[in-house]
Amino acid sequence: MKPIRLLPVLAGAALLSGCISFGEDPPESLLSLTPATSANAGSGTTATRESALALVEFEAPQRLDVTRVPVQITDSSVAYVENAVWVEKPARLFRRLIAETIRAGSGRVVIDGDDPGAMAATRLHGTLRDFGFDARTGEAVVAIDMTRSGDGSQVTTRRFEARIPGVVPEAGPVGIALNQGANQVAGEIAAWVNAS
């Protein structure tokens, strides 16, 4: 008797499953940024308030404040690379990559994020300008404006940019090129910060 009672329930569930959608199929893989240099496991350092560096949350325009990779088609037209999806928003990924690059290259205490308990005199802020593919030139483009502020009233700004040519507008090649460009820019930012 029990198998007969379950039959209508199972039939109803089968019919209902055809009506329920849990969203689009996920992409085969997600894109991330991997630092070219990393601090060694177990490494650590101490710092004074004056020598510590804090990276606060980066900003990004709406076209970059998503997990998709933008394609600049014309000066006023943007699309997105098919199946190219970041594991999280690129401004966060890039901030962590820069923090790790500075940490690995200098041994400096780098606080990644806006931790109110961390009193670092020097703060680094970024505004992402480009982090995608330019269809007009066939390049992956990484561009960011950085602002460094310290004690007192001194503020320094600088724009950094990397262009990786000859990129095919597909998820895999674009992801690899953007990782390369991001590491190039992170190295330049680290040199700029450590020179001060």
Side-chain angles (χ1 to χ4, degrees):
M1 281 285 198
K2 284 186 181 179
I4 295 172
R5 288 184 186 159
L6 286 176
L7 190 58
V9 174
L10 293 174
L15 289 173
L16 187 59
S17 69
C19 300
I20 297 175
S21 173
F22 293 102
E24 297 177 16
D25 290 335
E28 291 182 17
S29 63
L30 297 173
L31 302 174
S32 189
L33 297 177
T34 307
T37 58
S38 295
N40 294 327
S43 64
T45 187
T46 58
T48 63
R49 180 180 181 279
E50 289 71 31
S51 64
L53 173 69
L55 271 73
V56 297
E57 187 171 349
F58 286 7
E59 295 179 9
Q62 185 59 44
R63 72 184 180 89
L64 300 174
D65 197 27
V66 294
T67 56
R68 301 181 71 192
V69 178
V71 178
Q72 195 70 43
I73 305 293
T74 66
D75 289 347
S76 60
S77 179
V78 176
Y80 290 93
V81 178
E82 187 176 359
N83 296 323
V85 181
W86 295 107
V87 295
E88 63 181 316
K89 292 180 180 178
R92 291 183 195 145
L93 290 169
F94 197 27
R95 187 186 74 213
R96 281 197 290 273
L97 178 81
I98 292 168
E100 184 61 22
T101 303
I102 294 170
R103 189 178 297 118
S106 67
R108 189 173 187 174
V109 170
V110 180
I111 301 146
D112 176 21
D114 207 4
D115 183 353
M119 300 299 290
T122 305
R123 299 173 71 78
L124 200 60
H125 177 78
T127 301
L128 211 54
R129 294 293 175 204
D130 207 344
F131 208 86
F133 179 75
D134 190 335
R136 299 164 297 183
T137 61
E139 296 171 312
V141 183
V142 175
I144 189 166
D145 289 341
M146 298 300 297
T147 303
R148 183 178 64 214
S149 60
D151 280 341
S153 59
Q154 186 175 13
V155 175
T156 307
T157 64
R158 184 169 169 191
R159 178 167 289 182
F160 297 88
E161 183 176 296
R163 291 181 166 269
I164 310 301
V167 180
V168 178
E170 296 173 358
V174 167
I176 291 167
L178 287 172
N179 190 65
Q180 180 184 343
N183 273 285
Q184 178 183 324
V185 168
E188 293 171 4
I189 292 169
W192 175 61
V193 169
N194 293 330
S196 62

